[in-house]
């Protein structure tokens, strides 16, 4: 029997595919291209990946099926020649804050193994190096002491950040411990004694006290093991021997000065997902909610007594409250008035109100307008400060949530922001774990290194004879994975980088490197635009990586628009010729030369030069208005000072990781939102942003979904559906029946929507061992409205038929309705003519969602307004023919007097800009500078600019 050399697809009718049949060569790199919406993803993901995944899941056990989301059968007659299939999509990773580059690539597992095998601890007092000892080794060493020696096992106890000592004591009581040493003095947990919260105390827990005897070894081993578990596996144990045993007892085992021993380490000791090892303040997330003082002030122009502060922290109507007494007493002690506008009070007073008196006591005095004496009058009490009080209340809320006694602290969360954890500094692990090092660095320090630096550091390590063989094996595995990430162009990231801060393209490349490291062959990989987010300088790295996967013995099917990738393919399939109903056919297939010869191939025309995106004949001249960013230092930005011209089409460029998003999204956009509307966000680190008064608004048109449920659709987002409902409600029959516009809403119960399916048109049946089954609603037959509602017609069409129309069809249908015609025409101009008005927003790609948002903004342009529009890689998912349409729309915004700022790598967009700001020169810590500014022609002449080098080729051609 001959070996099948192709994947054969017959009768594909998924979405807009028109019963196509096609063969794809195995063990080759095949690119599927075509205009946006032509059916590429339907062929690659819904049919090839979907069928491969479904068939694999059909072969596993029923028990396993119940724990895996199943896949629906694609609309295709047959697919033959499939291998086990893996989809490497452009979608961003999950939003779990615990997910990092290290966990996604499994490198963290190896690092944890390295630290537990070769890690060296240090005494928390003097940093003396300590070797790992098992409970048995510690017990054996202690039992070697002379008979009759009295020994105490102790463990250091640390107070949790922003918690009182009483909380620490209560935790120890719950674990069954009773005796402590506080500052060297005995302290019983049975006593109700309070410690001064303003001072740092040295606390040690006495775990066990015993006398050395011949048979003490087994009991001692069990005691040490039990103590480690009870103490959340803290790895430091203090062995205190009465009678003053000489230093030789500790030398070689523990710290001779402070008598601390390092217990045996396991990989889970270095996992921030294990509660016992994670920082107790942020619980291993690295970020913690802290109160932002700015959010506590609601009216800075008012005085404290007239309502400057949030009502929940200072209610001015409570004349006899403890808070009123405290505020009056503070004003008397520190010499300020409660009637002075808050913004006019000196910074020292603001610090006292927000952060307290730092242990200094304040005599409580009766306010002159009080009607009765408060309990606190005559006492001397320190003031914590509003910030510390609210953070304490938040801790109480967290604790009550854990015990099931939750209450809703909205008034607290409204004043809080997520910042780097103040206890661990973003390290995620508690400080006992961070005291263990390899080569003098703890695990967090390695996680913060950029990958090439980490690779070099690991290469320089040397180990003792007893750990060398295991440690070097672990390091080899880590370095192999690091090398693949570096080769694929991700040299600027670190292992500690959170997955939710990684772009879709970066995550896709991370997954590609993981697949290469697995060295599997005979697999089928389906990819979605792996070149997205890559500077032209680095695009060859992805192409080489894909070829490596192919050469191992795998089949690659890539949905792609990038011309370099298309030309590098072994086989090309173009779907088209147009989008939506105009697509779904195989227009051309074969090599790049075959596409250039095919007259119907849009891609071929751009390849051959018959079709081009022209360079603008003239650039807009800069005006005299600028936005100014001063001292930008977020992430890798190096104190950047930048003037950004307004009223032009701007392009922010630079290699991946050069600081573009940090500068524009984290600093400029957020600070402008704060300046314009007092937005409750925190901008990236910088000194000043000037020029907000020159703008009416700043709008970030990103790729986040336009809606998250099945009833959300483009018509509702753009504002079309409200007018369409009004039209149906005005029909004579609708008026006679008393229908209003709301009755034609899919989200309004008891209107004209079908209540059997709640307006979804389908019924989803959840099956335990199979994929969820979607069946057309038996009542409305998928129309989403009831019979009475469907009887109302406008120009011969009912509401369901209107929602089924594409934008292109709706343009003709609503030709005589100026408002609808205007908005639909803009969607058509942006290349969204194929999109259904009622298409669920959950089915839109990121690029489609971004264009819907852009259409919404273009449709509401007002004369005389000056907005700043920010778009991050708007060419994602766009064919060159669609990029032409996008550029026309962006230029239309600029012609109306607005400023458009695009973060982009695509050279056809860059060459079309009026002004370019090029970041770099490299990524990561070698970037963060403005390399060049000016027109594309000026940038092309700058040798230091990577963008300029590639622009020269484009402009010359």
């Amino acid at each position: 029997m001959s070996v099948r050399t192709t994947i054969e697809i017959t009768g594909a009718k998924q979405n807009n595919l028109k019963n196509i049949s096609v063969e794809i060569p195995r063990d080759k790199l095949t690119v599927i291209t075509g205009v946006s919406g032509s059916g590429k993803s339907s062929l690659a993901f819904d049919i090839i990946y979907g069928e491969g995944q479904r068939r694999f899941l059909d072969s596993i056990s029923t028990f396993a099926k119940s724990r895996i989301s199943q896949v629906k059968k694609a609309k295709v007659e047959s697919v033959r020649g499939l291998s086990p299939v893996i989809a490497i999509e452009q979608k961003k990773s999950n939003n779990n804050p615990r997910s990092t580059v290290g966990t996604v690539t499994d490198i963290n597992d190896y690092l944890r193994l390295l630290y537990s095998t070769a890690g060296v601890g240090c005494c928390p007092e003097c940093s003396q190096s300590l070797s790992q000892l098992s409970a048995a080794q510690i017990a054996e060493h202690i039992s070697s002491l002379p008979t009759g020696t009295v020994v105490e096992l102790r463990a250091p106890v640390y107070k949790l950040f922003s918690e009182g000592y009483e909380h620490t004591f209560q935790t120890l009581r719950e674990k069954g411990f009773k005796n402590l040493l506080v500052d060297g003095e005995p302290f019983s947990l049975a006593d109700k004694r309070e410690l001064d919260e303003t001072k740092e105390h040295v606390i040690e827990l006495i775990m066990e006290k015993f006398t050395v005897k011949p048979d003490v070894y087994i009991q001692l081993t069990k005691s040490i093991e039990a103590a480690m578990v009870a103490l959340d596996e803290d790895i430091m144990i203090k062995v205190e021997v009465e009678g003053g045993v000489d230093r030789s007892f500790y030398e070689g085992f523990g710290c001779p000065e402070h008598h601390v021993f390092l217990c045996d380490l396991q990989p889970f000791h270095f996992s921030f997902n294990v509660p016992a090892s994670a920082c107790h303040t942020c619980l291993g997330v690295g970020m913690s909610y802290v109160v932002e003082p700015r959010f506590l002030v609601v009216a800075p122009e008012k005085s404290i007594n007239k309502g400057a502060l949030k009502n929940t922290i200072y209610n001015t109507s409570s004349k006899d409250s403890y808070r009123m007494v405290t505020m009056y007493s503070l004003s008397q002690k520190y010499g300020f008035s409660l009637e002075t506008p808050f913004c006019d009070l000196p910074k020292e007073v603001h610090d006292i109100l927000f952060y307290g008196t730092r242990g200094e006591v304040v005599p409580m005095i009766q306010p002159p307008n009080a009607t009765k004496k408060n309990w606190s009058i005559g006492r001397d009490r320190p003031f914590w400060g509003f910030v510390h009080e609210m953070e304490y209340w938040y801790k109480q809320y967290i604790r009550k949530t854990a015990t099931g006694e939750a209450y809703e602290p909205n008034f607290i969360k409204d004043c809080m922001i997520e910042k780097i954890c103040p206890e661990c500094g973003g390290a995620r692990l508690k400080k006992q774990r961070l005291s263990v090092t390899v080569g003098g660095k703890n695990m967090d320090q390695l996680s913060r290194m950029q990958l090439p630096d980490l690779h070099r550091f690991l290469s320089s390590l040397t180990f003792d004879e007893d750990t060398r063989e295991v440690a070097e094996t672990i390091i080899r595995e880590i370095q192999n994975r690091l090398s693949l990430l570096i080769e694929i162009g991700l040299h600027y990231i670190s292992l500690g980088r959170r997955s939710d801060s990684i772009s879709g393209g970066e995550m896709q490349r991370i997954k590609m490197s993981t697949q290469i490291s697995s060295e599997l062959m005979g697999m089928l990989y389906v990819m979605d635009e792996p070149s997205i987010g890559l500077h032209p300088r680095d695009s060859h790295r992805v192409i080489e990586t894909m070829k490596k996967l192919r050469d191992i013995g795998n089949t690659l099917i890539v949905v792609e628009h990038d011309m370099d990738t298309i030309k590098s393919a072994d086989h090309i399939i173009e779907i088209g010729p147009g989008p939506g109903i105009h697509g779904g056919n195989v227009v051309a297939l074969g090599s790049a030369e075959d596409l250039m010869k095919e007259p119907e191939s849009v891609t071929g025309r751009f390849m051959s030069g018959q079709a081009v995106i022209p360079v603008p004949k003239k650039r807009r001249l800069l005006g005299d208005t600028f936005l100014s960013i001063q001292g930008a230092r977020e992430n890798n930005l190096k104190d950047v000072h930048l003037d950004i011209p307004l009223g032009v089409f701007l392009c922010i460029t630079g290699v991946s990781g050069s600081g573009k998003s940090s500068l524009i999204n984290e600093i400029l956009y957020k600070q402008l939102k704060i300046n314009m509307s007092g937005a409750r966000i925190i901008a990236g680190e910088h000194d000043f942003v000037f020029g907000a008064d020159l703008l009416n608004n700043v709008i970030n048109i990103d790729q986040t979904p336009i809606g998250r449920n099945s009833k959300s659709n483009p018509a509702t987002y753009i504002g079309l559906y409200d007018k369409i409902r009004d039209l149906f409600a005005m029909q004579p029959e609708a008026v006679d029946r008393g229908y209003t516009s709301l009755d034609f809403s899919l989200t309004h119960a008891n209107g004209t929507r079908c209540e059997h399916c709640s307006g979804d048109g389908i019924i989803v049946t959840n099956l335990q061992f199979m994929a969820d089954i979607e069946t057309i609603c038996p009542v409305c037959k998928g129309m989403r409205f009831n019979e009475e509602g469907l009887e109302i017609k406008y120009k011969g069409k009912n509401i369901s038929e209107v929602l089924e129309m594409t934008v292109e069809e709706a343009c003709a249908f609503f030709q005589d309705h100026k408002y609808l015609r205007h908005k639909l025409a803009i969607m058509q101009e942006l290349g969204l003519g194929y999109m259904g008005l009622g298409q669920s927003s959950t089915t839109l790609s990121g690029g489609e969602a971004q264009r819907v948002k852009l259409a919404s903004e273009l449709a509401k342009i007002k004369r005389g307004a000056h907005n700043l529009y920010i778009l991050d890689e708007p060419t994602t998912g766009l064919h060159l023919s669609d990029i032409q349409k996008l550029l026309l729309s962006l230029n239309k915004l600029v012609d109306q007097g607005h400023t458009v700022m695009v973060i982009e790598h695509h050279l056809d967009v860059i060459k079309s800009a009026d002004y370019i700001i090029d970041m770099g020169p490299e990524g990561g810590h070698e970037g963060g500078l403005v390399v060049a500014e000016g027109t594309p022609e000026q940038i092309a002449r700058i040798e230091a600019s990577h963008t300029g080098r590639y622009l020269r080729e484009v402009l010359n051609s």
Side-chain angles (χ1 to χ4, degrees):
M1 183 177 175
S2 61
V3 178
R4 179 175 288 279
T5 59
T6 62
I7 298 168
E8 184 183 333
I9 300 162
T10 307
K13 308 181 191 72
Q14 187 77 15
N15 299 330
N16 66 328
L17 294 179
K18 295 185 172 66
N19 198 27
I20 66 171
S21 299
V22 67
E23 288 195 45
I24 299 172
R26 290 182 55 80
D27 302 330
K28 300 291 183 185
L29 171 57
T30 298
V31 166
I32 302 177
T33 189
V35 299
S36 305
S38 60
K40 305 181 298 298
S41 295
S42 297
L43 178 62
F45 288 95
D46 295 343
I47 291 181
I48 298 172
Y49 171 69
E51 272 301 285
Q53 185 78 338
R54 186 184 66 81
R55 292 180 191 183
F56 168 72
L57 294 175
D58 279 348
S59 68
I60 65 177
S61 68
T62 304
F63 175 81
K65 284 181 191 176
S66 68
R67 280 153 176 78
I68 300 173
S69 56
Q70 302 293 293
V71 181
K72 285 195 303 181
K73 190 175 188 317
K75 293 180 181 177
V76 61
E77 287 177 20
S78 67
V79 182
R80 296 185 180 89
L82 285 174
S83 302
V85 60
I86 293 174
I88 304 179
E89 296 185 74
Q90 190 196 111
K91 293 176 182 174
K92 291 185 73 170
S93 182
N94 62 44
N95 291 322
N96 187 341
R98 295 180 178 279
S99 176
T100 66
V101 173
T103 60
V104 169
T105 57
D106 297 330
I107 295 176
N108 262 29
D109 294 340
Y110 288 98
L111 277 180
R112 295 205 307 270
L113 194 59
L114 178 65
Y115 272 82
S116 62
T117 303
V120 175
C122 65
C123 172
E125 303 294 331
C126 66
S127 300
Q128 164 80 34
S129 294
L130 302 174
S131 299
Q132 299 179 41
L133 299 171
S134 66
Q137 285 175 302
I138 296 173
E140 186 176 352
H141 188 59
I142 294 173
S143 60
S144 69
L145 288 166
T147 301
T149 305
V150 179
V151 179
E152 271 186 358
L153 289 183
R154 301 179 191 168
V157 175
Y158 303 99
K159 185 180 78 165
L160 298 185
F161 184 85
S162 75
E163 292 281 9
Y165 283 109
E166 181 53 36
H167 172 69
T168 305
F169 293 161
Q170 183 58 33
T171 304
L172 293 173
R173 289 188 194 105
E174 290 169 357
K175 292 179 178 179
F177 294 109
K178 185 173 67 174
N179 296 314
L180 302 176
L181 287 177
V182 177
D183 298 328
E185 298 296 324
F187 186 101
S188 175
L189 292 176
D191 299 336
K192 286 291 183 182
R193 287 173 56 190
E194 291 187 4
L195 295 183
D196 187 347
E197 297 287 351
T198 62
K199 294 181 180 177
E200 286 291 328
H201 299 278
V202 177
I203 304 175
E204 293 177 343
L205 173 65
I206 301 174
M207 298 182 294
E208 193 157 346
K209 186 173 184 177
F210 55 89
T211 303
V212 175
K213 295 182 289 188
D215 58 350
V216 78
Y217 169 73
I218 295 176
Q219 176 200 344
L220 188 52
T221 303
K222 291 180 177 177
S223 296
I224 294 172
E225 289 174 344
M228 286 180 62
V229 174
L231 290 168
D232 281 344
E233 292 143 352
D234 274 339
I235 54 183
M236 296 289 179
I237 285 188
K238 190 166 186 176
V239 180
E240 199 66 30
V241 181
E242 287 190 11
V245 177
D246 61 38
R247 291 169 61 96
S248 62
F249 170 74
Y250 298 101
E251 285 176 353
F253 282 86
C255 171
E257 184 71 27
H258 301 99
H259 307 170
V260 173
F261 285 47
L262 176 67
C263 297
D264 196 23
L265 301 171
Q266 299 296 327
F268 65 80
H269 281 129
F270 300 95
S271 172
F272 45 75
N273 292 320
V274 175
S277 300
C279 165
H280 288 308
T281 296
C282 64
L283 307 178
V285 175
M287 306 291 286
S288 182
Y289 279 105
V290 296
V291 173
E292 172 60 31
R294 177 164 62 88
F295 296 163
L296 300 178
V297 183
V298 292
E301 73 282 358
K302 294 182 180 179
S303 69
I304 294 174
N305 272 351
K306 293 287 171 56
L309 302 174
K310 278 183 75 76
N311 194 42
T312 46
I313 61 168
Y314 182 55
N315 189 344
T316 54
S317 63
S318 304
K319 304 296 182 187
D320 304 312
S321 67
Y322 170 70
R323 180 67 87 209
M324 180 65 77
V325 172
T326 303
M327 293 298 286
Y328 180 73
S329 303
L330 285 169
S331 69
Q332 294 302 300
K333 179 171 177 66
Y334 295 103
F336 65 93
S337 171
L338 300 177
E339 302 300 332
T340 302
F342 188 85
C343 57
D344 293 339
L345 291 173
K347 182 180 182 299
E348 294 75 20
V349 173
H350 288 174
D351 286 345
I352 290 168
L353 294 174
F354 291 139
Y355 300 107
T357 57
R358 290 173 171 79
E360 187 176 2
V361 295
V362 180
M364 296 292 115
I365 305 170
Q366 177 96 344
N369 58 347
T371 57
K372 59 183 180 182
K373 187 176 180 180
N374 187 274
W375 62 269
S376 63
I377 301 299
R379 302 188 184 195
D380 293 347
R381 301 178 65 85
F383 176 59
W384 281 18
F386 298 136
V387 167
H388 293 148
E389 283 184 347
M390 294 193 78
E391 287 177 354
Y392 173 77
W393 295 340
Y394 179 67
K395 287 284 184 185
Q396 295 293 100
Y397 154 68
I398 292 291
R399 200 171 299 125
K400 290 194 175 188
T401 302
T403 58
E405 304 171 15
Y407 62 94
E408 196 63 41
N410 285 339
F411 74 97
I412 301 176
K413 289 294 288 287
D414 284 348
C415 301
M416 303 186 86
I417 57 167
E418 200 179 32
K419 275 190 173 180
I420 292 174
C421 174
E423 182 174 6
C424 69
R428 298 171 177 254
L429 295 167
K430 61 185 183 182
K431 59 184 176 184
Q432 295 94 312
R433 305 299 188 259
L434 297 173
S435 68
V436 180
T437 61
V438 170
K441 293 189 181 293
N442 62 40
M443 190 163 170
D444 174 59
Q445 289 171 317
L446 295 196
S447 296
R448 292 176 189 266
M449 285 184 179
Q450 289 189 12
L451 301 187
D453 297 337
L454 177 57
H455 193 283
R456 284 192 292 272
F457 173 78
L458 293 174
S459 299
S460 69
L461 292 178
T462 56
F463 298 95
D464 296 335
E465 191 63 41
D466 55 340
T467 60
R468 181 178 301 143
E469 186 176 351
V470 175
E472 288 180 351
T473 304
I474 296 167
I475 285 177
R476 261 197 313 275
E477 291 293 333
I478 297 173
Q479 287 184 314
N480 288 341
R481 286 161 172 77
L482 292 176
S483 297
L484 290 168
L485 289 168
I486 294 166
E487 284 172 17
I488 208 167
L490 295 172
H491 52 281
Y492 55 89
I493 64 173
S494 61
L495 295 180
R497 175 109 171 250
R498 275 171 56 159
S499 294
D500 54 9
S501 72
I502 297 285
S503 71
E506 287 170 329
M507 183 54 67
Q508 192 173 26
R509 293 194 284 282
I510 288 171
K511 290 176 182 175
M512 284 172 65
S513 73
T514 306
Q515 292 303 322
I516 294 176
S517 67
S518 70
E519 295 188 342
L520 290 170
M521 66 175 291
M523 301 294 290
L524 170 57
Y525 292 102
V526 183
M527 301 184 188
D528 188 7
E529 289 195 84
S531 66
I532 283 298
L534 270 183
H535 193 273
R537 184 197 69 167
D538 300 317
S539 60
H540 71 278
R541 298 188 181 191
V542 167
I543 295 169
E544 289 305 312
T545 303
M546 289 191 291
K547 287 181 177 178
K548 272 187 190 176
L549 274 173
R550 177 200 64 190
D551 295 342
I552 292 171
N554 299 297
T555 304
L556 275 76
I557 297 173
V558 182
V559 176
E560 188 57 272
H561 297 293
D562 176 63
M563 284 298 168
D564 289 336
T565 309
I566 294 172
K567 289 174 183 175
S568 302
D570 302 315
H571 188 69
I572 307 167
I573 299 171
E574 182 170 2
I575 306 294
I581 57 170
H582 304 295
N585 290 306
V586 177
V587 174
L589 47 82
S591 64
E593 289 74 20
D594 294 330
L595 261 68
M596 287 187 236
K597 293 173 188 173
E598 174 56 55
E600 280 197 43
S601 170
V602 181
T603 308
R605 288 202 294 276
F606 277 99
M607 274 185 179
S608 64
Q610 294 175 40
V612 292
I613 296 176
V615 176
K617 291 179 181 175
K618 62 177 183 177
R619 313 280 181 192
R620 295 179 184 88
L621 298 176
L622 304 188
D624 54 3
T625 55
F626 293 82
L627 291 174
S628 182
I629 302 173
Q630 300 293 314
R633 296 179 297 279
E634 182 71 3
N635 294 330
N636 66 329
L637 294 175
K638 295 180 174 63
D639 201 33
V640 170
H641 300 274
L642 180 67
D643 290 330
I644 300 171
L646 295 176
V648 292
F649 179 22
L650 292 155
C651 206
I652 314 298
T653 65
V655 297
S656 302
S658 58
K660 304 181 297 296
S661 294
S662 297
L663 182 69
I664 303 305
N665 293 331
E666 293 302 313
I667 294 177
L668 180 65
Y669 171 69
K670 288 186 176 180
Q671 191 58 52
L672 287 175
K673 290 297 284 186
I674 292 167
N675 292 351
M676 291 177 176
S677 59
R680 306 178 74 80
I681 52 178
I682 298 296
E685 192 179 352
H686 70 288
D687 293 334
F688 302 105
V689 170
F690 299 112
D693 55 318
L694 301 171
L695 301 170
N696 295 90
N697 200 3
V698 56
I699 299 150
N700 191 1
I701 304 175
D702 58 18
Q703 296 191 9
T704 55
I706 60 172
R708 297 186 182 277
N709 63 60
S710 58
K711 295 180 181 63
S712 171
N713 54 54
T716 55
Y717 188 87
I718 297 286
L720 299 169
Y721 195 38
D722 291 343
K723 293 293 183 183
I724 291 170
R725 288 191 289 116
D726 290 342
L727 287 176
F728 277 90
M730 289 190 293
Q731 300 309 301
E733 195 170 350
V735 174
D736 292 342
R737 295 183 185 183
Y739 288 154
T740 65
S741 175
L742 189 61
D743 288 316
F744 292 95
S745 169
L746 290 168
T747 58
H748 176 59
N750 303 317
T752 65
R753 77 171 188 182
C754 172
E755 291 302 328
H756 186 71
C757 63
S758 300
D760 289 328
I762 55 172
I763 303 292
V764 179
T765 306
N766 296 315
L767 299 181
Q768 187 176 2
F769 300 128
M770 293 173 61
D772 293 348
I773 293 180
E774 291 184 1
T775 53
I776 294 174
C777 174
V779 176
C780 68
K781 305 294 188 293
M783 304 286 276
R784 299 197 274 187
F785 294 87
N786 59 31
E787 287 185 19
E788 290 79 9
L790 294 173
E791 288 170 0
I792 311 299
K793 297 196 175 182
Y794 171 73
K795 293 173 66 173
K797 300 281 188 183
N798 62 40
I799 185 79
S800 177
E801 290 169 330
V802 168
L803 286 179
E804 288 297 317
M805 290 180 180
T806 63
V807 169
E808 186 179 4
E809 292 167 337
C811 270
F813 185 74
F814 293 110
Q815 187 63 36
D816 55 350
H817 194 289
K818 183 179 177 182
Y819 178 88
L820 294 175
R821 185 180 70 239
H822 168 64
K823 295 209 168 194
L824 289 165
I826 288 170
M827 293 182 74
Q828 179 92 331
E829 288 170 12
L830 275 170
L832 298 173
Y834 63 92
M835 189 176 286
L837 294 184
Q839 181 179 342
S840 173
S841 60
T842 57
T843 65
L844 302 182
S845 69
E848 287 174 328
Q850 191 174 34
R851 280 185 288 159
V852 169
K853 292 177 186 179
L854 182 58
S856 177
E857 292 300 328
L858 284 163
K860 57 188 180 189
I861 290 177
K862 292 182 180 177
R863 292 191 181 278
H866 185 178
N867 297 335
L868 170 62
Y869 294 94
I870 298 173
L871 297 91
D872 197 343
E873 295 194 62
T875 59
T876 300
L878 294 189
H879 191 273
L880 281 167
S881 62
D882 300 302
I883 292 174
Q884 271 185 314
K885 297 173 184 175
L886 174 72
L887 287 170
L888 288 172
S889 298
L890 295 179
N891 279 299
K892 185 183 290 186
L893 280 172
V894 182
D895 292 340
Q896 293 286 339
H898 302 288
T899 303
V900 173
M901 181 183 291
V902 177
I903 301 171
E904 190 53 84
H905 295 294
H906 202 292
L907 289 169
D908 284 301
V909 175
I910 298 172
K911 76 180 185 185
S912 303
D914 300 315
Y915 195 81
I916 295 173
I917 297 168
D918 190 37
M919 303 291 295
E922 300 294 334
H925 56 64
E926 294 179 6
L929 297 170
V930 175
V931 175
E933 297 177 70
T935 64
E937 288 76 16
Q938 290 170 329
I939 300 295
R941 291 194 290 269
I942 296 175
E943 289 298 324
S945 169
H946 291 301
T947 305
R949 190 166 73 250
Y950 287 91
L951 262 178
R952 275 198 294 278
E953 299 172 17
V954 174
L955 293 174
N956 291 338
S957 65

